[in-house]
Amino acid sequence: MHIDVLTLFPEVFPGPLGESVIGRAARRDLATVSAVDLRKWASDARGTVDDKPYGGGPGMLMMAEPLAAAVETLRKPETLVVLTSPRGEVFNQSLALELAKESHIVLICGHYEGVDQRAIDQLVDREISLGDFVLSSGVIPAMAICDAVIRLLPGVLGDDESSKGESHMDSLLEYPQYTRPPVFRGAQVPPVLLSGDHGKIEAFRREEMERITRERRPDLWEKYLSGNSRKGFEK
């Protein structure tokens, strides 16, 4: 996979994407992220890529012309163009799994008060939001999307089973985990985890995932129940 991040602040990359799991993926050529300066496609020497909105209003808008020139330069037949936007569909693990199937993504970082709608209509395949809040730019959402997607690619985590029990897989939150020592300040590791009985361990972890999700995220719990109901299961 290759991700081109189209931004006004290319200097902040790779940032955390150059470290840990994602950094190792890049060094092993499993996935690469390139920060691309949108100002390269400005039509003047000042690198202007924004202007005042027609009809008035606060702030500035990203102009359609530089965005179109940039996307059309980077786009390939298989490219998916994504815009970070507070109006977009909320990013979640299911969407990360969808994006992980792509081979090339152009990820446009929204800035200022937004983007000329004509650019969105003509260039963008999907708009994605991190949640119901507003950030000063799309750089942080872009990094979060890159991280969440790249770690799902085959071979990135080393053990492809690693992601299957994580939070939000199958609409459940992750089970609690423990390591040495077996007793810490009077608190013991649940005995079942020391039993060596893999069937009981798996059942215990599933029960804990369900319990934690039910208690902490009723919305996810309802989604989980609904999904199981469609599959013919009863909870």
Side-chain angles (χ1 to χ4, degrees):
M1 171 182 280
H2 181 67
I3 302 176
D4 284 308
V5 181
L6 197 54
T7 176
L8 299 181
F9 305 106
E11 66 277 4
V12 304
F13 289 86
L17 299 178
E19 306 297 329
S20 189
V21 171
I22 309 305
R24 290 197 299 271
R27 290 189 287 273
R28 293 164 59 200
D29 292 327
L30 297 174
T32 54
V33 177
S34 299
V36 183
D37 189 352
L38 177 61
R39 294 188 191 279
K40 288 170 55 178
W41 286 273
S43 59
D44 63 4
R46 295 180 56 218
T48 302
V49 294
D50 64 303
D51 208 337
K52 296 177 181 179
Y54 284 123
M60 306 287 277
L61 289 181
M62 295 176 71
M63 300 164 64
E65 290 179 340
L67 275 171
V71 170
E72 288 163 1
T73 300
L74 297 170
R75 178 182 270 158
K76 305 172 184 178
E78 69 274 18
T79 300
L80 181 77
V81 180
V82 175
L83 170 67
T84 63
S85 167
R87 298 191 316 187
E89 55 189 310
V90 177
F91 190 63
N92 56 27
Q93 194 70 4
S94 295
L95 184 46
L97 286 164
E98 285 186 50
L99 296 182
K101 298 174 184 177
E102 303 292 336
S103 60
H104 182 224
I105 297 174
V106 172
L107 187 50
I108 303 172
C109 295
H111 296 290
Y112 307 122
E113 290 298 316
V115 177
D116 188 309
Q117 186 63 42
R118 293 167 296 182
I120 298 173
D121 293 341
Q122 297 179 28
L123 304 168
V124 174
D125 299 308
R126 302 185 79 155
E127 295 181 65
I128 295 177
S129 168
L130 283 195
D132 297 334
F133 53 91
V134 179
L135 297 171
S136 57
S137 82
V139 167
I140 291 174
M143 287 188 175
I145 292 168
C146 289
D147 189 295
V149 170
I150 291 173
R151 67 191 308 280
L152 293 173
L153 300 178
V156 170
L157 294 180
D159 180 355
D160 291 337
E161 295 294 313
S162 297
S163 65
K164 292 187 177 179
E166 294 181 323
S167 291
H168 304 294
M169 300 300 287
D170 199 21
S171 298
L172 292 174
L173 300 179
E174 188 174 11
Y175 52 79
Q177 300 197 63
Y178 306 84
T179 188
R180 293 183 293 178
V183 180
F184 172 69
R185 296 181 179 177
Q188 294 186 326
V189 173
V192 66
L193 298 179
L194 307 176
S195 68
D197 188 323
H198 296 292
K200 290 183 178 179
I201 291 172
E202 184 177 351
F204 168 79
R205 287 175 168 171
R206 190 71 181 189
E207 290 171 2
E208 286 296 284
M209 291 170 75
E210 293 179 351
R211 177 186 64 81
I212 292 171
T213 305
R214 184 173 61 250
E215 293 175 357
R216 301 185 183 182
R217 291 289 302 276
D219 57 325
L220 287 179
W221 179 245
E222 289 300 320
K223 182 179 179 181
Y224 171 68
L225 292 180
S226 176
N228 280 342
S229 175
R230 288 195 297 271
K231 296 173 184 177
F233 298 142
E234 294 184 359
K235 297 302 296 179

